[in-house]
Amino acid sequence: IMLSTVVTVFLTERIEPDGIYTKALRREGIHIQQGRDVDVMQSVMVREVMHTPAPVISPSRTLVELRNALRRHQTKALCVIEDRHNKQILVGIVALSDLQNAYERINQGKENRTLTVANIMSKDVITITPNEPVFVAIKRMGQSDIGHLPVVAADNEKQLVGFLTRTDVMRSYN
């Protein structure tokens, strides 16, 4: 059994040098060289990659207004904010999947049609600050299986200053 395992591993590495994790990336045209690429993403800061202003919506908006805002911003998530003292304070995040789930519950008769963004948003938001390396953002997105991070001020973790998506990260890397 041991000999057949060794032979199988040897042949597999000769026939297909890319592992299952890097094969899909190579198909997309992304070639990762161990060590170098990680270092590149550690040297790029979130402030250099994030886009501003962040796509936002008020918690009192209706689901139809949410749908329209997602289309208008051409994004899959919006930061839910409240204006306080001329500052955008992050109170949650709402994604396209939240909207789809809400419509599903409405169609099944489990919810009424008067839902607002506040009813379906996620209040536990994973964020990042502008002074952190993009590598940290990649790790947070990967660990939580999300494609976007609100960027908050370093001195005030609730003040929204930008938005970072996987697309932003890929664009900066390329």
Side-chain angles (χ1 to χ4, degrees), residues 48-122:
E48 300 171 44
V49 179
M50 70 180 190
H51 59 273
T52 56
V56 298
I57 193 163
S58 167
S60 61
R61 297 295 182 191
T62 66
L63 298 186
V64 171
E65 290 171 315
L66 171 59
R67 183 199 64 205
N68 294 339
L70 288 166
R71 285 181 183 164
R72 184 175 57 253
H73 290 289
Q74 297 178 346
T75 187
K76 293 182 181 177
L78 297 171
C79 298
V80 183
I81 56 113
E82 291 178 354
D83 285 322
R84 296 184 195 152
H85 309 292
N86 294 329
K87 293 181 181 176
Q88 292 184 333
I89 304 301
L90 183 67
V91 295
I93 193 162
V94 64
L96 178 60
S97 59
D98 297 324
L99 180 63
Q100 291 167 334
N101 291 337
Y103 276 131
E104 222 173 85
R105 290 192 315 267
I106 289 170
N107 289 336
Q108 293 171 354
K110 295 178 181 176
E111 293 284 348
N112 61 31
R113 295 193 176 275
T114 60
L115 287 177
T116 64
V117 170
N119 300 122
I120 67 169
M121 72 181 187
S122 299

Side-chain angles (χ1 to χ4, degrees), residues 3-51:
L3 178 62
S4 64
T5 303
V6 170
V7 170
T8 303
V9 168
F10 177 77
L11 289 175
T12 303
E13 287 179 351
R14 293 285 181 216
I15 295 169
E16 186 62 54
D18 292 330
I20 60 173
Y21 301 109
T22 56
K23 187 175 183 177
L25 292 174
R26 286 206 187 270
R27 273 192 233 133
E28 296 292 323
I30 302 167
H31 303 282
I32 297 179
Q33 299 170 2
Q34 190 63 31
R36 179 190 170 276
D37 292 326
V38 171
D39 290 342
V40 167
M41 297 317 286
Q42 287 177 341
S43 65
V44 177
M45 295 296 147
V46 169
R47 70 178 167 272
E48 300 171 44
V49 179
M50 70 180 190
H51 59 273

